[in-house]
Structures are given as structure tokens and as C-alpha cells.
Amino acid sequence: MSAWHTKPAAQVLDELGSDRRRGLSQAEAQRRLEQYGPNELEHQEEEGFFARFLGQMKDPMILVLLSAAALSLWASGGEDWIDAVIILVIVVVNALISISQEDNAQKALEALRKMSAPMAKAVRDGRNVRVESARLVPGDLIRLEAGDLVPADARVLECANLKADESAMTGESAPVSKAPADRLPPDTPLADRSNMVIAATVITSGRCTAVITGTGMNTEVGRIAGLLMDEETAATPLQRKMAEISKTLSFVCLCVCAVMFGVGLLQGKEILDMFMTAVSLAVAAIPEGLPAIVTIVLALGVQRMARRNAIVKRLPAVETLGCAGVICSDKTGTLTQNRMTVVDVWTAGKKHRAQTLTIAALCNDAVLSFSPSGEVLAAGDPTETALVRAAWQEGIDKNALERESPRRGELPFDSERKLMSTVHPLPGGGVRVMVKGAPDVLLRRCKKALGTAGTAELTPALSRQIAAANENMASRALRVLGTAFKDLPAPPAALDADTLEQGLTFAGLVGMIDPPRPEVRGAVEKCFAAGIR
């Protein structure tokens, strides 16, 4: 894949043969669709059951067993068939269990293939059109806005307050701000490519126009799918050991049989009798029960893991876990719940807690809804949904607040100001400006603060108290936001930072974290106890 993040936007458009305003023509898009294929993840054509069954017969121990069964039948003239049948049953059961596990593992790749948007907004011939995501091609201009699933890897050309939830691809739980930066260093990690949007991630806020740089298997999620499809897997320690045993047994059996056959001939025995004796000895020496025991033990391990939602692609791989000395784990969604949660609210006086959460809920773009069972379903930026949920738990309904005091203006958050502001009417006339953002930036814009005795001047002592509370939250790995407000006698003539975000009254701090899963502590302790780092 080309390093599109390292090139200026004009060069990207030129190399992709696309126009910044008109996009591609319908005819050109159709030609590229035939050239690049649909914007879908490939999937291997599944072999038939019989072919997969035969594939299981390649194991060296299985080949030895099949040879033993054939020799047993031949040596007995077909009369002593019980041993041969037992061996064949062992082989068939082993194959069926392995095929069943491969079927379960295939579901992982199918889940990836479903991580795509069915429709997308594109620019064709200068017109905005809705296109099936599968028909998007490199060079297509697409429009994205909050709530959209990104249909393909794309270079951002222009945007406003754009943020994307890339946790599915990078493990970063907080939404990532995007901007049409001209170029980034070639070694910029995927999580830091701010001028790119990645297929299968979600836009949480803002909007943008971007040009598609890769579709289907030429996307980052396509690269992951390709790794899953790779069948070239190394043999596990158990498989290598079983292969060694098979070769050793075969060699020893042949040597012993040859010696017995030779000794018999020297003693003047009949050649046919000695050959049959040697074959019988070979059959008796082969441990037919070994593969059965190994398969049963591995199958029991797989079933125990399946009950804990762990899918094992190949049966022998279960044994490999017993050799693990180091576990490298993703954090977001694996060790944590991938759900930002408010865990602390600091105010100078307890009575101001509600006002702090009211500001956090109103100066907020998240949408509050409820499931049929009454569960809170906040949608939007994870940080903002956490604030809305926290307000709801305190009896503050964002929807009711917006009906009583609807938004009359706003200044969206941006990475330079590190603040967001909204304007709302007051019941007695005038308006209230509500602001949330980085505590250190916000504090510099405040002249007053809510204290234990009400509103007071923001003295150096009170500023130090607020800064200490902020540092305390940050030291506990919390993401901290500050809230503030100011009342105006009439709506402001201009919606700009100088008008809205000066002379504020500081309200409080809100601390959030992506909490660890409850079971993680015990799991890590067990790993340490087992000698695993």
C-alpha cells in the first residue's frame, strides 16, 4: 500500500486521477470497478467436505496408523478386522473434530467481512450521489459525517471538527481528531495518521470530504483479513513431536521386522511365514491408541476454551498455549470495557455538582435515547456519551434540558482552542453560555468560580485548589474536563471565542476513564502465578 499520508493532498489527487470538486465520472468509476474489483474483503473458496477430510490424512502419525490398518487386514487375510476398524474409527473421529474447529475459526474472518457500510455518499460528475459501498473505487470522493461507518481507506481533503473512533483498528479508546495535514513522516504509526480515515472505523463527530486511496483487500482491515486467510502456519511443538515419534516408530519397526525376517531365513523358516510374522510384529508395535488419546485430550481443551468464548482454529494449537511465556495483549476492549465512564466529579461545594453535570450534558453533541427495556443508549463521541450517562444517573435528563433550554448557537471543539461552547436561553430572559474543555485552558478564561459560599472571585488560592484537584484526577489516569458558564443579557452579536469564552465562571471538573474489565485482575494474577509475563 502506498504511503498516502506522506504526500500533499494535491499530489494524492493527481496520482489517483481525481478532481477535488467533481470527483470521478460515472464512466471512469465503472472502469476502475472492473480494474480493482468490488470494495469487499476477499474470502477463500471453501473446499468440499471430502477434500478437507482427505487433507487431515497428511499427518505422519495418521499415515502410520492407516498403514498399520492395511497391514493388519492383509496379514490376517481379512479375518482379524477388529483392529483395523478401531484404527479407522480413531482416524475418522480425529479428522471430524479438526474440521469442526476450522469451521468455528472461519467465523472470525466472516465477522471482518461484515464490518463495512452498505451505502456511502460519493461525488460523481460533480453531483452528490448515494453509492453502494461495494462499488466505491480508488479516486472516489466521499462525504462523511457523524455516525457514518468509513467504507474505505481515504485521505482527508477538508473537514470540520472531524473525529473518528478507531478503537477497532488501533485500540485507542478516545476518538482521534482528523485534519487535512499536507504530509506526515513515512514512519507515522497507523494510530497517528491524522490526515487519513480508516475503513471499518466510525466517524463520531464533524464532517469531511476525503478521497479514497484503497478499497477491499488494499485497506488496513483488508491486510488483517489477508493475515487471517494465510494458511501457511508453522507446526506446533506437539505436531513436531508427533512427527518425530512417527518417523522413529516407522524406522524401528522396519528395522526389527527386517532383523526378525533375516533371523527366520537363517534358521531355515519359510519365507512367507517369516514375512507374516514380521508384519504382525510391526502392527503390534504401533501404538494405535496414542492419536486417539491426544485427540481426545486436545478436544476437551478446545471445548473448555469454547465455553469461555475462545476459538481455536487448529486443534493441535491448544497444546501450544501451555508453552506460553509472555502474553502481549491489546488494552482497549480487551483489558478495558471500551466504554468511557465518569468516575469522579469535583466541585468547590457539593451543591454545584448538578450544575457541573448540567453544563456537561447541554454543551454536548451526544444523543440520549433508551432501549425498550429502559437502558440508556447514548450515541456519539465516547467522552460525550459518558457525560450524558453520568448526568442521567444524577437525575439530569439531557432531552428534557434541551426542550427547556434549546441550543441557540455554538462554537464546536477544535484542537487549538481545546474548548466547546454552546448558547442557551434563560427562563427570565438573556442567555447562558456553557463551556467545557481542557481544565488548564478553561481556567485561564475564568474570572469567577463557584465556591462553598456561592459565586466568588477566582483568587490565586482557589485557582491552586482547582489545579490540585485536576492533578489528582490526572494522577489516577483519568481524562479530565472542566466546565464553566457565563450569563449574558441578550444573545451575542458574534459567535466567536473572544465573545463567548472570556470572563467565565468556573463550575467544576469531571474525571473519566475506560474502566478495566472486572475479570482482568484475576486473569493477570493467574498468568503471573503460572510464570507468564
Side-chain angles (χ1 to χ4, degrees):
M1 284 181 274
S2 297
W4 298 106
H5 62 283
T6 66
K7 303 174 182 179
Q11 183 181 346
V12 171
L13 286 165
D14 184 58
E15 291 186 16
L16 291 169
S18 184
D19 184 271
R20 193 182 191 105
R21 299 302 170 197
R22 297 186 57 80
L24 299 177
S25 67
Q26 289 287 3
E28 177 62 15
Q30 181 60 36
R31 188 191 69 76
R32 294 191 185 190
L33 184 62
E34 294 170 2
Q35 177 184 355
Y36 296 103
N39 178 31
E40 296 174 335
L41 298 184
E42 294 176 3
H43 63 286
Q44 294 170 321
E45 293 295 328
E46 288 192 11
E47 294 180 319
F49 177 81
F50 185 67
R52 296 168 66 195
F53 185 84
L54 289 179
Q56 298 295 326
M57 303 297 111
K58 297 176 183 178
D59 186 274
M61 181 60 80
I62 297 299
L63 293 175
V64 171
L65 286 179
L66 291 175
S67 300
L71 287 172
S72 178
L73 278 174
W74 183 76
S76 66
E79 294 180 2
D80 188 6
W81 51 268
I82 295 178
D83 285 347
V85 170
I86 290 174
I87 293 173
L88 291 174
V89 168
I90 291 171
V91 169
V92 170
V93 169
N94 179 79
L96 292 177
I97 292 175
S98 296
I99 290 172
S100 172
Q101 285 309 120
E102 290 175 1
D103 286 340
N104 287 337
Q106 187 64 22
K107 295 175 183 177
L109 182 56
E110 290 301 315
L112 268 181
R113 293 186 68 237
K114 293 175 181 176
M115 290 175 65
S116 59
M119 299 294 290
K121 297 182 282 292
V123 179
R124 297 266 177 92
D125 292 314
R127 294 182 295 109
N128 293 329
V129 294
R130 288 184 64 81
V131 180
E132 290 182 24
S133 292
R135 300 185 66 83
L136 292 172
V137 296
D140 257 328
L141 286 188
I142 54 173
R143 312 277 198 197
L144 298 170
E145 57 188 32
D148 286 346
L149 191 66
V150 181
D153 287 0
R155 177 69 150 74
V156 177
L157 300 178
E158 53 190 56
C159 68
N161 191 33
L162 185 67
K163 287 186 180 181
D165 177 359
E166 297 182 344
S167 58
M169 291 296 296
T170 66
E172 176 55 56
S173 59
V176 181
S177 295
K178 299 291 181 178
D182 250 4
R183 60 180 75 198
L184 296 171
D187 58 351
T188 303
L190 181 64
D192 296 330
R193 294 178 191 173
S194 58
N195 58 5
M196 300 287 296
V197 286
I198 309 169
T201 61
V202 181
I203 302 301
T204 59
S205 66
R207 59 189 181 277
C208 81
T209 299
V211 59
I212 291 179
T213 56
T215 59
M217 298 301 289
N218 292 320
T219 61
E220 293 295 335
V221 72
R223 186 173 64 85
I224 294 173
L227 293 174
L228 285 175
M229 291 169 62
D230 186 6
E231 291 185 349
E232 295 298 323
T233 50
T236 67
L238 178 63
Q239 286 176 314
R240 292 196 293 268
K241 199 67 178 176
M242 293 289 284
E244 289 176 14
I245 292 173
S246 301
K247 292 175 183 177
T248 303
L249 279 175
S250 300
F251 178 75
V252 170
C253 286
L254 287 174
C255 290
V256 171
C257 292
V259 170
M260 290 295 295
F261 184 71
V263 169
L265 290 181
L266 290 175
Q267 291 178 346
K269 301 286 181 70
E270 290 288 334
I271 292 179
L272 183 60
D273 288 344
M274 287 312 304
F275 182 74
M276 297 299 292
T277 300
V279 168
S280 299
L281 180 62
V283 172
I286 294 173
E288 295 91 341
L290 180 59
I293 292 170
V294 170
T295 299
I296 290 170
V297 170
L298 292 179
L300 289 173
V302 166
Q303 294 305 315
R304 290 183 65 184
M305 293 180 70
R307 285 196 293 269
R308 301 188 182 194
N309 300 318
I311 296 175
V312 179
K313 186 173 183 180
R314 296 183 303 133
L315 205 61
V318 178
E319 175 268 347
T320 310
L321 290 174
C323 306
V326 178
I327 294 177
C328 299
S329 171
D330 177 40
K331 175 180 72 69
T332 304
T334 303
L335 301 180
T336 67
Q337 299 176 23
N338 195 21
R339 176 173 169 171
M340 292 296 286
T341 304
V342 173
V343 294
D344 197 1
V345 177
W346 181 91
T347 58
K350 290 185 178 180
K351 63 181 179 179
H352 305 308
R353 182 183 178 94
Q355 189 160 356
T356 295
L357 289 174
T358 296
I359 296 170
L362 276 176
C363 185
N364 192 313
D365 289 328
V367 177
L368 178 64
S369 60
F370 304 91
S371 69
S373 61
E375 181 186 1
V376 177
L377 301 174
D381 181 289
T383 297
E384 296 198 324
T385 58
L387 295 172
V388 168
R389 287 194 187 95
W392 171 259
Q393 291 168 358
E394 297 278 334
I396 300 168
D397 184 343
K398 172 181 167 67
N399 295 335
L401 288 175
E402 288 182 332
R403 287 193 295 269
E404 297 167 3
S405 186
R407 187 180 299 186
R408 298 302 188 201
E410 66 179 291
L411 278 181
F413 176 90
D414 69 49
S415 55
E416 292 185 6
R417 287 174 27 255
K418 297 184 179 180
L419 299 173
M420 174 183 178
S421 300
T422 56
V423 181
H424 304 265
L426 290 170
V431 295
R432 172 164 289 180
V433 179
M434 300 188 180
V435 188
K436 77 174 192 300
D440 55 337
V441 175
L442 189 62
L443 204 55
R444 292 197 296 268
R445 310 289 183 96
C446 295
K447 288 187 175 180
K448 299 180 179 180
L450 295 179
T452 53
T455 304
E457 290 298 318
L458 187 60
T459 61
L462 188 51
S463 292
R464 287 193 295 272
Q465 184 183 1
I466 295 170
N470 180 33
E471 289 178 12
N472 177 266
M473 287 187 181
S475 67
R476 290 183 281 142
L478 301 186
R479 184 181 185 192
V480 188
L481 286 179
T483 61
F485 69 96
K486 76 172 177 179
D487 294 339
L488 298 173
L495 294 176
D496 54 51
D498 291 336
T499 304
L500 299 183
E501 297 171 350
Q502 299 293 341
L504 303 172
T505 299
F506 190 87
L509 301 170
V510 181
M512 291 161 283
I513 197 170
D514 183 4
R517 291 180 179 273
E519 63 271 22
V520 163
R521 184 182 182 89
V524 173
E525 286 176 346
K526 287 180 180 178
C527 287
F528 277 124
I532 298 173
R533 291 188 293 115

